[in-house]
Amino acid sequence: MAATHRADVPTRSGRRSKTSPVLGLIVLLAACSGGGGGGGGDPDPDPDPRLSRSGPIQLSSDQTRLFVVNKVGSDLVPAGRGSLSVVRVRDAAGADAAEVLAEIPVGVDPYSVSVTDDDRRLFVSNGADGTVSVIDLGEGGKGPYTYVTDLAVGSEPRGTAVHDDELFVANFGDGSVTVLGTDDLLVRTTLRLGAVGNEPAFANPHGLLAAPNGEVWVTDFYAVGAAGKGVDAVEGFDDGKEARVGLLGEQGLKRVVRMRAMVESGFTADRTAFDPANGAANATFRAPAGVDPTRVPQGAFFNQLFSLAYDEDTQRLFVPAIGAAPAPPVRFNVNVQSLVGVVQTADATTENVEELTVSLNAQVLANFGDEPGPTPPFTPSETRLDRAFAADVVAMDVRSGTVVLPSRAGSFLLVGFLGADGSISLARNLREAIVRIPTTNLPAGVVLDDGATRAYVASDLVGEVSVVDLTRNVELGRIETAASPTDPKRRRELLGQLAFFTGMGLAADTAPGTDPRDVDTHRFRNMASNGNWSSCASCHPGGRADGVTWLFPTGPRQSISLEGFFAHGSTVASELATTDQKISNWNGVRGSITDFNNNARNVQGGFGFTPEALATIDAGQGQADVPDAGLVFNQGPRLGVSNALDLMTEWVASIRPLSRPTDLDDDAVARGRTLFAASCSACHAGSKWTNSTRVLDLALWPDPAFEGGLPRGDNLFNPAASAIVAFDADDDGDFETRLVDAVVAQGTLDLTNPIEIRGLGGQIGLASAGLAVSFVPPSLFGVRNSAPYGHHGRAATLEDVFVPVQGGGLGHPDFGLNAQELADVLEFVRAIDGAQPTVQATTLLR
């Protein structure tokens, strides 16, 4: 079969883009071997606009072919790139099929695919490249399948959607939407999502949806401060923030709809530790008068708006979200929720229909009365999903009254119902068990066919699609859309990603060479969290920050992006003894990714990833009975306890820094770099853009290193301490570890501030080190995308970092720089990414 290549197509910048010979050959081989074809008669020469929404999987208009984004391409694809697979799922007679027609290389870190109304062309957004890959599908989408070019768009493109002859691309890193012509492939316009009235700009657009009526909607990924809330009533409060979806117009945002917080999510918390009568230092979160302090209702606000769904019959927009509930206590069943909001798009004056907001986990809880409970050791497999919660629902689809919602953390599909009033129900009544259907690991995309008889569920981990028969509620099978890579390092990283994203679990002895698609996470239920409540990714999307300040026992802690945890380009593996890493958390209370096993146990309610955890679960014992839990503790060993944790560490080390925005002033960046080196590099320098550094040789540790779960010998690591100032591993006077800096003199901490909430937990800092208060300098990788700032999140913008505390800012020292110089420094800070040359520290604070 011949494959033609349009190798000379105008790009956004006006330059000509050439198809590489190697890439063209791979596409040619894929197209020839696949054959193309499928489907019925001639295509409509002028098809009506149809619903188009962002996501990694789409169906052709005739329902015969799937277009699937593979985050990791097979070995046929150049190393590091993703791919797009065309899959026949219906034959000419309308029967189910499973034939991969082509796998076509695209860019690095692809996110979303969109197809034109006539099925003749599709587009894939590539996050790392800042491009959109263009692929021709032939007449009616029947082939040959031909790579055309990559078009430059904005920084970190995410969602895509098509309406008529225009492609919309959400630029996460620029706060804009690029509009491209689907025929001429030229940029029509770039929509800046600036302020609308009193509504602030959309900083991080992510999900897109183009309705058949021409409305194009976009999500802002992170929540913002709720309307009317003061600076110290936003962070740390369950109702402190609101999410937003916007309707696009010709100039940018035409209308903004706020998704207000859910006042009562269906769960309650014990607030007795936050009553002054019980020793709490601050009464902000004690139980209201007349409310049982052990059962205080908890709310949650919408956050992490990955995608949108739409019901054409009612013209309602559905917004799945990972709801954040940061008020204390931070405990597995009250800190995150799976929420779905509803917007009535036909009414331009109506905000979200709050009475239709759904907490999926509350529905699961209500269904416990009649649904059989799971019995360890979770065999047979048919019982493993009973009572499982809906962790990390980041996508959904609605059609013909059927609602499907994949749990990314749980690797299963929830099937529900859309009521006449627009309400979503997972079960028609409490006597009816909730339907959960096992799927491919980490499902992050789903699409229904026109009759809602089939659901196609795409993995965010490997190239795989689950085909679900909704007439019988069973998985028919899985289609391998791209073979798992054979490179050992890439496989280890994928297994580590699965450990990070799963809400079920992963065997502590997982072999590093295991194919990630072969892991049955359901067998290890309750290791990562209690009943699939949450995952590490619930609060660290993609390993980065979720923009939420959580009120831990030691006080408020803004989530930290992990892209700066290891030196950029580090290689971390269980067989390696040395690694250049930073110390985690604002106070240096954790020395490694391995330490987050305690987060799985203490926050997510799981048993952890240690070798004895699964046997404890199988024996029907409690979390406290895990005999080897003490092998992992604050500032404990980094490697060698559990393969699952070591693999997670390796994946975290692979997280790429997000790219800089495309609209920065390069002259200001250059000026700012010089000023930064002179003023800021004492705390923010080097390959991780922080002087919190630990280059540690495990051979220097006492042997045996640990007895009874505690360090022995010279007590090189003290799990009881809340911070480490410096660490001299070999007593030669050279401090290998640079962890924390005193900040009291800088005025960035005020323990009398209302946001400094703590229960009966420890205080900030390490008094024995001679510091009243100390903090780990954060990495500045991707800081443009990690607002708000400071350990308590009081600085809503980078500019607010230097505003005095009395003015609502962070009170960070300005080093005597004037306003223009500060502006230049911040322009440089926004430009810090993996390509920015490092700055060396001018002063080492000890």
Side-chain angles (χ1 to χ4, degrees):
M1 177 180 294
T4 58
H5 297 274
R6 294 180 56 189
D8 194 9
V9 179
T11 62
R12 178 185 177 188
S13 64
R15 297 187 298 269
R16 314 300 278 185
S17 177
K18 297 288 185 180
T19 305
S20 74
V22 174
L23 189 61
L25 176 60
I26 292 172
V27 177
L28 176 61
L29 291 174
C32 289
S33 62
D42 294 333
D44 185 344
D46 188 19
D48 292 331
R50 56 179 173 153
L51 177 65
S52 177
R53 59 193 182 89
S54 55
I57 183 169
Q58 307 295 344
L59 259 175
S60 63
S61 59
D62 65 2
Q63 313 286 288
T64 65
R65 292 174 305 286
L66 279 177
F67 309 108
V68 186
V69 170
N70 306 306
K71 298 284 275 190
V72 180
S74 68
D75 287 343
L76 287 175
V77 173
R81 298 175 77 96
S83 65
L84 184 285
S85 292
V86 183
V87 184
R88 191 199 315 274
V89 291
R90 293 281 190 186
D91 63 20
D96 290 305
E99 180 185 4
V100 178
L101 303 176
E103 182 187 0
I104 304 168
V106 291
V108 179
D109 202 9
Y111 276 87
S112 177
V113 56
S114 290
V115 189
T116 56
D117 295 330
D118 58 8
D119 287 335
R120 300 182 74 158
R121 180 169 280 174
L122 65 74
F123 304 86
V124 177
S125 61
N126 304 308
D129 297 344
T131 64
V132 169
S133 292
V134 184
I135 298 169
D136 277 347
L137 303 175
E139 188 72 24
K142 299 176 185 177
Y145 306 115
T146 310
Y147 169 85
V148 178
T149 190
D150 285 344
L151 303 175
V153 287
S155 173
E156 296 292 339
R158 296 294 188 265
T160 57
V162 167
H163 182 73
D164 283 342
D165 62 347
E166 292 184 328
L167 170 73
F168 296 80
V169 183
N171 300 313
F172 180 87
D174 280 350
S176 67
V177 171
T178 298
V179 184
L180 291 160
T182 58
D183 293 325
D184 58 20
L185 303 183
L186 296 175
V187 173
R188 302 268 177 94
T189 187
T190 297
L191 301 174
R192 301 293 173 183
L193 306 183
V196 178
N198 295 326
E199 196 66 44
F202 277 30
N204 299 103
H206 199 288
L208 277 169
L209 184 145
N213 64 4
E215 289 186 342
V216 181
W217 293 85
V218 62
T219 69
D220 198 10
F221 187 72
Y222 297 112
V224 296
K229 295 282 186 180
V231 65
D232 290 320
V234 172
E235 296 298 324
F237 291 82
D238 291 348
D239 63 350
K241 290 189 172 184
E242 297 171 341
R244 300 174 302 165
V245 296
L247 177 64
L248 293 179
E250 292 183 0
Q251 303 301 319
L253 289 171
K254 180 179 179 181
R255 180 163 67 95
V256 174
V257 176
R258 286 221 169 199
M259 310 296 298
R260 288 189 288 269
M262 196 173 195
V263 177
E264 294 189 13
S265 64
F267 294 85
T268 61
D270 185 348
R271 291 274 181 84
T272 55
F274 298 89
D275 193 317
N278 297 323
N282 192 302
T284 303
F285 284 99
R286 67 179 170 185
V291 175
D292 181 350
T294 67
R295 298 184 62 82
V296 178
Q298 295 286 93
F301 61 79
F302 288 81
N303 195 38
Q304 298 188 48
L305 272 57
F306 284 89
S307 63
L308 295 166
Y310 187 78
D311 179 49
E312 296 186 43
D313 294 333
T314 62
Q315 299 183 55
R316 279 185 167 143
L317 197 67
F318 295 89
V319 188
I322 297 177
V330 178
R331 186 174 181 272
F332 77 93
N333 62 346
V334 295
N335 66 331
V336 292
Q337 300 288 344
S338 290
L339 304 181
V340 178
V342 183
V343 175
Q344 181 61 52
T345 64
D347 184 351
T349 64
T350 302
E351 294 191 346
N352 63 306
V353 187
E354 293 180 62
E355 64 270 20
L356 296 181
T357 295
V358 173
S359 167
L360 299 175
N361 288 342
Q363 291 199 9
V364 171
L365 182 67
N367 196 252
F368 273 15
D370 294 280
E371 189 181 4
T375 302
F378 302 123
T379 54
S381 60
E382 288 77 14
T383 68
R384 294 177 186 168
L385 295 181
D386 291 344
R387 298 191 181 187
F389 290 101
D392 297 357
V393 171
V394 298
M396 64 180 290
D397 202 3
V398 182
R399 193 175 291 271
S400 302
T402 297
V403 181
V404 287
L405 308 112
S407 169
R408 186 182 64 190
S411 298
F412 61 80
L413 184 71
L414 286 162
V415 182
F417 313 93
L418 183 65
D421 61 351
S423 60
I424 293 175
S425 301
L426 296 180
R428 291 187 175 92
N429 55 66
L430 296 181
R431 294 181 299 278
E432 181 180 79
I434 292 173
V435 175
R436 302 177 186 85
I437 304 168
T439 67
T440 179
N441 282 327
L442 306 193
V446 62
V447 62
L448 286 167
D449 67 2
D450 283 345
T453 65
R454 296 289 184 270
Y456 302 97
V457 186
S459 171
D460 199 38
L461 182 70
V462 293
E464 190 170 60
V465 170
S466 288
V467 181
V468 176
D469 181 352
L470 295 176
T471 66
R472 295 182 294 142
N473 287 332
V474 296
E475 184 185 29
L476 294 177
R478 299 178 188 177
I479 303 172
E480 181 181 291
T481 58
S484 291
T486 57
D487 175 65
K489 181 177 185 297
R490 194 69 185 99
R491 280 217 171 174
R492 293 195 305 267
E493 290 171 352
L494 289 172
L495 289 167
Q497 181 181 353
L498 181 57
F500 191 91
F501 278 71
T502 183
M504 291 287 185
L506 198 68
D509 61 352
T510 298
T514 302
D515 187 333
R517 74 181 79 237
D518 294 337
V519 176
D520 178 9
T521 62
H522 301 158
R523 172 66 184 93
F524 309 102
R525 174 176 172 161
N526 282 10
M527 290 180 71
S529 70
N530 186 309
N532 189 52
W533 189 272
S534 59
S535 72
C536 298
S538 299
C539 300
H540 293 279
R544 300 179 179 94
D546 66 353
V548 178
T549 302
W550 301 91
L551 294 189
F552 289 102
T554 49
R557 295 294 181 271
Q558 174 68 202
S559 63
I560 297 174
S561 178
L562 302 182
E563 60 192 319
F565 201 98
F566 291 96
H568 184 52
S570 290
T571 299
V572 181
S574 57
E575 67 269 16
L576 297 180
T578 58
T579 299
D580 181 2
Q581 67 163 75
K582 74 182 286 291
I583 295 304
S584 186
N585 287 28
W586 285 94
N587 299 110
V589 298
R590 287 178 174 165
S592 69
I593 296 299
T594 300
D595 290 339
F596 280 86
N597 189 65
N598 279 348
N599 199 72
R601 289 171 52 82
N602 300 333
V603 176
Q604 295 169 214
F607 284 59
F609 291 89
T610 52
E612 297 296 326
L614 182 63
T616 307
I617 294 170
D618 286 350
Q621 297 176 290
Q623 184 200 66
D625 298 317
V626 178
D628 61 353
L631 290 179
V632 180
F633 53 87
N634 291 349
Q635 301 154 13
R638 297 176 305 144
L639 301 171
V641 174
S642 161
N643 282 357
L645 293 172
D646 293 347
L647 293 164
M648 186 188 298
T649 298
E650 189 160 3
W651 177 74
V652 170
S654 75
I655 298 172
R656 68 174 180 86
L658 293 176
S659 302
R660 58 174 276 178
T662 61
D663 57 355
L664 299 181
D665 181 335
D666 288 337
D667 291 337
V669 169
R671 295 192 302 268
R673 180 183 174 87
T674 300
L675 294 165
F676 181 95
S679 302
C680 312
S681 61
C683 295
H684 301 284
S687 57
K688 300 181 301 301
W689 295 92
T690 170
N691 285 350
S692 168
T693 295
R694 171 172 162 186
V695 182
L696 181 64
D697 189 336
L698 296 186
L700 299 176
W701 288 25
D703 185 24
F706 299 95
E707 293 179 350
L710 293 175
R712 70 177 205 116
D714 296 329
N715 267 342
L716 301 181
F717 292 87
N718 181 3
S722 59
I724 302 176
V725 176
F727 173 54
D728 182 5
D730 51 6
D731 295 320
D732 65 352
D734 183 14
F735 284 75
E736 290 85 0
T737 305
R738 268 294 305 124
L739 303 181
V740 296
D741 290 320
V743 296
V744 167
Q746 298 178 356
T748 60
L749 177 72
D750 175 10
L751 290 177
T752 66
N753 194 284
I755 193 62
E756 293 294 339
I757 306 299
R758 53 183 46 77
L760 303 181
Q763 295 297 308
I764 298 176
L766 183 62
S768 63
L771 298 176
V773 180
S774 54
F775 283 114
V776 173
S779 170
L780 297 183
F781 270 132
V783 71
R784 153 72 174 81
N785 304 294
S786 59
Y789 306 102
H791 75 284
H792 42 35
R794 291 191 84 240
T797 68
L798 282 172
E799 287 75 12
D800 291 339
V801 168
F802 300 99
V803 172
V805 173
Q806 297 82 352
L810 186 58
H812 193 286
D814 60 13
F815 307 106
L817 301 177
N818 61 38
Q820 181 58 58
E821 290 171 331
L822 272 178
D824 290 344
V825 167
L826 292 184
E827 194 77 345
F828 170 72
V829 168
R830 292 185 179 96
I832 294 175
D833 63 5
Q836 181 66 233
T838 58
V839 171
Q840 297 306 308
T842 56
T843 305
L844 286 177
L845 300 181
R846 287 276 169 86

